[in-house]
Amino acid sequence: MGRVNVKNVSRIFTKKEDNGSMEALHQVSFDVEDGEFICLLGPSGCGKTTLLRIIAGLETQTSGEITLNGVPITGPDPKRGMVFQQYSLFPWRTVIDNITFGLEMQGISKTEARKQVEKYIDLVGLEQFKSSYPYELSGGMQQRAAIARALANEPEVLLMDEPFGALDAQTRNILQDELLKIWEQKHVTFLFVTHSVDEAVVLSDKIVVMTARPGRIKEIVKVDLPRPRSRTSHEVNLLRDRVLKLLEEERFHR
Amino acid sequence: MNFIKTIEEKGIEVLSLITAVAIWQIVADKVVHDTFLLPSFYDVMRAFFTIVKSGLIFTDILTSLLHFSIGIVAAFIIGIPLGISMGWFKKANQAIDPIIEILRPIPPLAWIPFAIVWFGLTHQAAGFVIFIGMIFPIIINTYTGFKSVPKVYVEAAKVLGCTRNIDLIRFIAIPSAMPSIVSGIRVAMGVGWMCLVAAEMFGVSDRGLGYQIWHYYYLHRMDVVLVYMLILGFMGLLIDRFFRYYVDAKLLRWTSGTVV
Ligand SMILES: Nc1ncnc2c1ncn2[C@@H]1O[C@H](COP(=O)(O)OP(=O)(O)OP(=O)(O)O)[C@@H](O)[C@H]1O
Ligand SMILES: [Mg+2]
């Protein structure tokens, strides 16, 4: 079960230098049903990463509440997996040892953990690279491994912060398709941050569009299109235009 | 192709060494003519075999290695935990840093009188001076390595269920800081080796490689002095090479050989 409720969440950062303060998130509320695929979309600096980090438990909100299955979030927990915007594989561990990390932390022995994560390595197609170190991997493979590492903990919610942001368009498309396959196989709620409208339209059940700073919810767009979605069909184009317009308005507001 | 290349490269190295030795021999034998001012290569070799035959050299090497080990073990046991706690806990850094800043600029050799007063003419006294020389680079590099652990690794570990300080230090900070710690140890070994010779020379010991250099200088046996100097050089080289080989192969494989 992975039902996330975000209620009136604000986050104000205080600046040390001039005692000033900056509001990154303002009264953000939305609900995510169990097993839903949600994309968070918004202009750069609108607080998408901040929101995701609060849900992950790496950051705290100034006010408001976030619950997972009704239980307030207080700190990091393996139930909420995260894939970061930057490359975050541990460079001193091989791919397989990165993926077993979460299980090892649960006290499962290394050999047993290796057996258990085999299927996740298959799932992301890294069988040949499981004994490689991260520096030997391409960017796309690193993010695949990071996804496998998050999945191995069998989280209820998977938080992804522009995981494909640093990749070329081709790799990006491939990984989006793979991600959808994983989502269909595993019963996991996905919260996916992106600033690519295309990505959001192809992936999500709902697109949460945010305003420019301070981030507020501008609109929640339902995507009622069957999967697999063609990237160029008429409906997809219409939806893309609609979301792009929303974002454009934000550009002029600033 | 590669094989030939290696031979060529090594060939140049060997040739260069032989030439240096030849020049040394000729200058000493034909120009200087004075084994006190400059013993020739031949004199040094003869002295070397005499010392080897007497067995003295092995006691000296072992003694010096013992001093060195005492210093390095102590510096590890004290320096690494100190560096770790300073790097991880801000309060520990605030508490320890001023003390270190005051003690660090004192040259290790300035501790020799106290080494003798506290430990007498023992191995521990020599080890203590080496320890002083080694501990600061170890503390500082451990600290720096810990300070520069990328935040994203710590956060990735946290969301994967690694949340206790002790686990974060063990599974994230130490491996991430390893290249820095290792380079600190390497610097420390160089300093320690210098301190070893000086400590033994200045009477903290009555045996060991450094002590013998001074001893034979008094006896005006400069050929033996040179033998001990060369042994010190070779041992330092060997220790560094062994260390480098082991560390590169085992500990720092993941840095892809770009560091070091
Ligand atoms: N730790 C922090 N301290 C101070 N300000 C912060 C901190 N983290 C984020 N901010 C500020 O909060 C705002 C939102 O940042 P955030 O990283 O959440 O944006 P984002 O939507 O993820 O942007 P991008 O799309 O560029 O990744 C920014 O103005 C940023 O400067
Ligand atoms: Mg961001």
Side-chain angles (χ1 to χ4, degrees), chain A residues 178-208:
Chain A
E178 286 179 6
L179 194 66
L180 280 177
K181 259 183 224 137
I182 291 170
W183 174 70
E184 273 156 16
Q185 279 182 35
K186 305 274 152 194
H187 185 84
V188 184
T189 309
F190 273 54
L191 260 93
F192 190 104
V193 166
T194 176
H195 49 218
S196 153
V197 178
D198 287 327
E199 196 161 66
V201 169
V202 167
L203 292 176
S204 43
D205 292 322
K206 270 191 222 155
I207 303 174
V208 176

Side-chain angles (χ1 to χ4, degrees), chain A residues 5 32 51 71 80 106 114 142 146 163 169 172 193 244:
Chain A
N5 300 94
V32 186
L51 180 58
V71 183
R80 282 164 275 126
Q106 293 171 24
R114 283 194 176 163
Q142 291 204 33
R172 224 179 148 120
V193 166
L244 274 173

Side-chain angles (χ1 to χ4, degrees), chain A residues 4 32 41-42 92 102 134-135 138 156 162 174 191 199 236 244 253:
Chain A
V4 180
V32 186
L41 192 64
W92 56 89
Y135 77 87
S138 72
E156 292 167 351
E162 297 189 42
I174 296 170
L191 260 93
E199 196 161 66
V236 165
L244 274 173
H253 274 183

Side-chain angles (χ1 to χ4, degrees), chain A residues 3 14 28 56 69-70 75 84 91 93 112 122 125 139 141 150 165 168 198 204 206 208 211 213 244 248:
Chain A
R3 189 163 39 79
T14 45
V28 172
N69 304 323
F84 292 82
R93 284 178 165 244
E112 175 59 29
D122 285 348
M141 292 197 269
D168 62 279
D198 287 327
S204 43
K206 270 191 222 155
V208 176
T211 65
R213 200 167 61 216
L244 274 173
E248 220 135 277

Side-chain angles (χ1 to χ4, degrees), chain B residues 169-199:
Chain B
I169 289 175
R170 176 169 161 215
F171 292 105
I172 305 300
I174 288 182
S176 171
M178 197 46 93
S180 176
I181 297 176
V182 162
S183 79
I185 293 172
R186 188 164 296 157
V187 171
M189 303 246 273
V191 179
W193 200 236
M194 281 193 261
C195 293
L196 169 94
V197 177

Side-chain angles (χ1 to χ4, degrees), chain B residues 66-81:
Chain B
L66 176 65
H67 294 162
F68 194 65
S69 318
I70 293 174
I72 201 172
V73 167
F76 262 59
I77 293 178
I78 297 176
I80 290 183

